[in-house]
Amino acid sequence: MADKTLVILISGRGSNLEAILAARLPARIGAVISNNPGARGLAIARSRGITAAVVDHRAYPDRAAFDAALAAEIALYRPDLVALAGFTRILTDGFVGRYRGRLLNVHPSLLPAFPGLDTHRRALEAGVRIHGCTVHFVTPAVDSGPIVVQAAVPVLPGDTGKALANRVLREEHRIYPQAIRWFCEGRLRLDAGGRVVVKAARSPKTALLSPAAER
Ligand code: NHR
Ligand code: GAR
């Protein structure tokens, strides 16, 4: 089967982009596109000889106009899959509809807990003992699309938002390339109930227990 073409949308640092590149997926990266001209991920892409483009949302009068320009840029590369990797602009229904079933996101919480922004601070405030990250298909309703894979991490005594974010980020770097690989291999499908099933994936049979240990 021919390699799939990916377009990766970023807004910032680009560590998930780096993890995707390091995974040596059976895919061609058509382009990395950022809404933020200052995104460090753009330099990472350029340094690897990957096309890096900017569609600056501040140059457009509204979300529909920005999304139309973004869609036009993406279409240049004819991607099979568009992957949001730390992309921070909510996408309009029109955009999402155009890429239905071909648009993935990695979100830094165990959805449906903590959708939206600032997830690690909110997880600490809520006192959850287990936190994590989710790869999901993007649908018009933000952070609510069919879940592909999740990874759980413990919240540890004395955790700061930063420490917790780093622990979660390491897992993002595992599960996002994995999910994209499954997509590229044609192993993801939606069942009748709208849930994602992964062909020939192994499920763990043990639980992660995370009490708050006394120090
Ligand atoms: N768009 C749709 N329609 N559906 C989803 O599931 C989306 C999406 C766009 C982005 C990523 C998501 C995340 O993983 C994502 C999922 C940005 C915001 C947000 O509030 C919320 C969720 C996500 C990304 N953005 C502000 C906005 O007004 C801007 C914040 C900023 O620019 O710093 O767009 O967390
Ligand atoms: C990641 O933790 C990602 O899950 C999160 O931002 C970070 C981006 O890091 N995404 C969002 O919060 C989307 N709103 P990166 O740029 O180093 O991949």
Side-chain angles (χ1 to χ4, degrees), residues 57 63 84 87-92 96 105-108 116-117 136 138-144:
H57 64 278
R63 287 183 191 269
L84 310 185
F87 184 72
T88 58
R89 300 300 300 175
I90 291 175
L91 297 161
T92 56
V96 173
N105 179 45
V106 63
H107 179 78
L117 304 174
H136 66 94
V138 172
T139 55
V142 175
D143 294 334
S144 311

Side-chain angles (χ1 to χ4, degrees), residues 158-180:
D159 257 350
T160 59
K162 200 169 167 186
L164 183 56
N166 284 332
R167 193 173 309 123
V168 170
L169 193 61
R170 275 198 299 278
E171 301 308 316
E172 295 183 40
H173 296 165
R174 284 176 61 195
I175 67 172
Y176 206 16
Q178 173 69 261
I180 294 171

